[in-house]
Amino acid sequence: MAKYNITEKKNREAAYRSLVSPQLMDELEEKINNIIIIQKKYKDKDYSAKQLAEDLNTNTRYISAVVNVRFHMNYTSYVNKYRIQEAMSLLIDKRYQDLNMEDISDMVGFANRQSFYASFFRINNITPREYRTLHMPPDFKPTRKTKKRKRVARSSQPQTQPQTAEVAQ
């Protein structure tokens, strides 16, 4: 079973792709890039292809056609690409080293940590934590103290001595 349950994409040709004229595709491509990249709408976890279509006074099929033909991916992959690029820069930026993965995923627009990890792994073939570890300066020491969870050993027999706490990593 593949890590993070990632499945291979199936290629199929959508009929509506050929209905969009090259001039309209050029125009929509520029507008899509402006809104998603320049205005950084990829950071908005609620910004959908439907909302983008409304903002551009077109429909979602045209948005889908342009993203598929010009960027060779679907809308979600297109948006996640920019989210992951932003996350990669945050993960190695010393100013954000104290943030956990959930904070980083939220900052770049993912709805939850699981989708962040899956997208990050799909693009980079390593987890965000592995990426941070690989790119962290060797002399870096985090300033935030992390809480260590303590596990208490349990036994079915009564103990005469107090239980010792084990630190879990």
Side-chain angles (χ1 to χ4, degrees):
M1 184 174 186
K3 195 169 187 175
Y4 297 111
N5 199 21
I6 297 172
T7 57
E8 293 293 319
K9 289 194 306 187
K10 296 177 185 171
N11 291 331
R12 59 179 189 229
E13 193 65 33
Y16 60 86
R17 289 183 194 161
S18 60
L19 299 176
V20 184
S21 71
Q23 295 81 12
L24 181 57
M25 264 218 203
D26 291 340
E27 184 182 325
L28 286 175
E29 177 184 7
E30 186 177 329
K31 289 179 178 180
I32 290 168
N33 280 332
N34 178 44
I35 290 174
I36 300 297
I37 302 167
I38 307 299
Q39 295 179 28
K40 297 190 177 199
K41 288 290 189 178
Y42 64 85
K43 288 184 173 186
D44 182 352
K45 60 185 73 153
D46 298 320
Y47 196 75
S48 64
K50 183 178 180 182
Q51 182 62 48
L52 177 61
E54 288 174 12
D55 290 349
L56 296 177
N57 295 318
T58 188
N59 62 51
T60 55
R61 286 190 176 255
Y62 278 27
I63 298 295
S64 179
V66 172
V67 172
N68 275 274
V69 171
R70 296 298 170 95
F71 308 121
H72 308 290
M73 58 184 79
N74 64 28
Y75 175 80
T76 303
S77 296
Y78 172 72
V79 171
N80 285 347
K81 174 182 152 185
Y82 294 103
R83 289 174 175 166
I84 296 301
Q85 286 176 357
E86 175 99 5
M88 289 167 65
S89 66
L90 294 177
L91 287 167
I92 61 173
D93 190 327
K94 289 181 180 180
R95 295 174 293 180
Y96 301 104
Q97 289 298 313
D98 291 336
L99 296 180
N100 63 30
M101 293 303 146
E102 196 159 334
D103 294 336
I104 297 284
S105 72
D106 190 54
M107 286 175 69
V108 299
F110 283 95
N112 57 58
R113 190 178 57 84
Q114 290 80 9
S115 59
F116 171 58
Y117 263 74
S119 293
F120 197 99
F121 190 84
R122 186 179 295 117
I123 291 171
N124 296 307
N125 229 19
I126 58 172
T127 67
R129 193 167 311 284
E130 290 168 337
Y131 180 85
R132 177 182 262 175
T133 304
L134 283 172
H135 294 87
M136 218 184 315
D139 61 335
F140 176 76
K141 293 196 173 34
T143 56
R144 183 170 75 174
K145 294 180 181 178
T146 56
K147 293 181 182 177
K148 293 186 178 181
R149 288 187 273 174
K150 295 181 180 180
R151 268 198 254 164
V152 178
R154 292 186 180 181
S155 166
S156 60
Q157 299 174 358
Q159 295 182 348
T160 56
Q161 297 177 336
Q163 295 177 346
T164 59
E166 297 174 11
V167 177
Q169 296 255 343

